Amino acid sequence: MGNKLKYSLVAGGLFLAGVVALARSAAFGQLPSGEDMNRYQQSPHFDADAGIFVNRRPGIVKAMRKSTMTFGKVIKQMRQASPDVTPHQPLPTVQPDFKAFQSPDEDLKALWLGHSSILLSIAQQRVLIDPVLAPHNGPLGFLMRRFQAPVALPEDLPPIDLILITHDHYDHLDMATIKAFRETATRFMVPLGVSAHLKRWGIAAERIQELDWWQSARFNGLDIVATPAQHFSGRHVVKQNRSLWASWVIQSPQHRVYFSGDSGYDEHFQAIGTAFGPFDVAFIESGQYSPLWPQVHLHPTESLQAFKDLNAQRYFPIHWGMFRLSTHAWYEPIRLLTAEAKRQGIALVAPKMGEVAILNGEASPEPWWEDVL
């Protein structure tokens, strides 16, 4: 056997071993069991014939992939990417003041931890939403292109009472972060199907509660409601939509909060605003949009309309400032929102990562992003 053939066989064997190892990576999580899938058939948002969860308009994501996400259009969009798709220097952050965050008062407070990760203080409860705090993400640690270091690691956080997850994509559900809570008393609320991932990563089933759209649960004086979103799910290229995606409403006797997760624009924003508004604050996805996927992410103009539909008093932009997921300039969303919020008289809350924001106070954001340009 010649050396070239030997090397080829060795290389092929290593490649195959790598593919097998990747396919078995725990970071992919776990699909729901057959028993669970049978139970999910009771959901009006589950297509029993296809065995998947669906949006209000069931075929909208499939149609999007056929019309705008063709190979040629994706390549063209990548070639047109902004030279400022990521910052040329780290974004300014604040060392989180967890003592001030936990002060026993009635203020509604939030810490933006980057992208869509929010630590919320409401009615003396610490609620962590979509925490992605590991330095590296994805099955191989590099598939999620983080351009900003985490402002806090899981071990830096105060005790967390409740974690809410909107859906199972890597920029919203991170294995390493979830594993950090295995030995804590933290409870979890997730959309249907997401519990399978958590259980594979060591979270006890009795600490997890799954909710369908419009279902609610009571937790330590809070009313938590899973509300609709227009998106999709899946940590694999195949076998997608085996779990549901959602937004969240969090209510205390004094405050009401809305958290969008990921969503394209649809009538659900108005329905949520009618059912649960007015909100003190709406955390709305405001970045990583693209003409390739308008059905599953909001352009800032749509985000502003969603804010109005929700009947909220303050707008807190999320889903920006941490990952490179699209091709627009990193600062484009916040600049558009700032200009429009000023023009339309909208109270915009846009703190630095790690800064304690008082959400029942005056909203007068410092344009800190301009110092990075």
Side-chain angles (χ1 to χ4, degrees):
M1 182 183 296
N3 287 335
K4 287 187 177 180
L5 180 57
K6 288 181 181 179
Y7 292 143
S8 297
L9 290 173
V10 170
L14 290 174
F15 176 77
L16 181 59
V19 170
V20 171
L22 178 60
R24 293 179 177 177
S25 171
F28 280 118
Q30 182 70 48
L31 294 174
S33 67
E35 181 180 347
D36 285 334
M37 295 301 284
N38 289 335
R39 177 165 53 87
Y40 298 152
Q41 292 186 29
Q42 301 175 19
S43 169
H45 319 296
F46 188 81
D47 182 334
D49 293 332
I52 60 172
F53 288 95
V54 295
N55 289 292
R56 182 185 72 84
R57 292 178 284 172
I60 191 168
V61 175
K62 186 177 181 180
M64 175 193 75
R65 287 171 171 159
K66 287 185 176 180
S67 63
T68 62
M69 292 194 68
T70 62
F71 180 78
K73 290 181 179 180
V74 170
I75 295 300
K76 181 179 179 181
Q77 187 67 22
M78 291 175 64
R79 288 174 175 169
Q80 296 175 345
S82 167
D84 297 322
V85 71
T86 60
H88 301 293
Q89 65 187 74
L91 302 184
T93 62
V94 173
Q95 183 67 33
D97 186 346
F98 291 119
K99 184 177 180 179
F101 180 79
Q102 297 181 88
S103 59
D105 51 47
E106 295 301 319
D107 283 335
L108 178 64
K109 290 171 282 193
L111 275 167
W112 181 44
L113 302 174
H115 198 61
S116 294
S117 299
I118 292 289
L119 179 56
L120 186 69
S121 177
I122 178 171
Q124 304 302 313
Q125 297 298 301
R126 291 171 292 271
V127 181
L128 185 58
I129 311 175
D130 282 1
V132 179
L133 306 179
H136 306 285
N137 306 92
L140 293 178
F142 61 80
L143 295 183
M144 293 301 304
R145 302 189 65 178
R146 178 190 291 274
F147 59 73
Q148 183 80 12
V151 72
L153 299 175
E155 57 266 29
D156 301 326
L157 302 179
I160 302 300
D161 299 296
L162 177 66
I163 291 179
L164 298 177
I165 303 295
T166 59
H167 63 297
D168 72 355
H169 286 159
Y170 290 100
D171 57 323
H172 295 262
L173 178 62
D174 173 57
M175 178 183 69
T177 303
I178 297 301
K179 281 186 171 183
F181 291 91
R182 286 182 294 187
E183 304 303 322
T184 69
T186 304
R187 302 296 295 263
F188 293 79
M189 290 189 190
V190 301
L192 296 179
V194 175
S195 67
H197 299 306
L198 273 58
K199 286 184 282 189
R200 180 176 185 187
W201 299 333
I203 305 299
E206 58 268 21
R207 293 170 54 195
I208 310 169
Q209 186 168 3
E210 287 191 337
L211 297 177
D212 198 354
W213 291 350
W214 303 114
Q215 287 185 337
S216 62
R218 187 81 171 161
F219 178 83
N220 291 355
L222 300 178
D223 289 311
I224 313 292
V225 187
T227 43
Q230 182 173 282
H231 202 57
F232 64 105
S233 69
R235 297 170 78 83
H236 295 257
V237 176
V238 296
K239 296 183 179 179
Q240 295 189 338
N241 299 332
R242 265 58 169 188
S243 63
L244 188 59
W245 44 96
S247 55
W248 292 100
V249 169
I250 308 162
Q251 301 176 100
S252 75
Q254 292 81 28
H255 301 294
R256 295 188 178 197
V257 174
Y258 172 79
F259 189 90
S260 72
D262 285 0
S263 180
Y265 185 77
D266 195 29
E267 63 185 37
H268 63 275
F269 291 109
Q270 189 170 47
I272 294 166
T274 300
F276 300 107
F279 294 102
D280 294 83
V281 60
F283 295 87
I284 303 177
E285 82 150 345
S286 307
Q288 308 309 326
Y289 47 84
S290 171
L292 298 177
W293 49 74
Q295 290 85 348
V296 295
H297 287 289
L298 294 168
H299 186 272
T301 55
E302 295 173 311
S303 299
L304 287 164
Q305 184 58 53
F307 171 79
K308 296 172 186 176
D309 293 348
L310 289 161
N311 190 16
Q313 297 175 25
R314 297 168 187 82
Y315 183 130
F316 196 124
I318 56 172
H319 209 254
W320 74 288
M322 184 64 77
F323 295 108
R324 172 185 175 175
L325 301 175
S326 187
T327 56
H328 60 69
W330 70 268
Y331 52 80
E332 181 180 286
I334 192 64
R335 276 189 150 185
L336 288 172
L337 288 171
T338 303
E340 279 303 302
K342 183 176 181 180
R343 188 178 70 84
Q344 300 183 37
I346 292 172
L348 187 70
V349 183
K352 296 176 183 176
M353 281 178 259
E355 183 179 355
V356 178
I358 308 298
L359 301 178
N360 51 301
E362 293 295 323
S364 53
E366 169 198 354
W368 54 263
W369 48 89
E370 296 295 336
D371 296 335
V372 185
L373 300 179

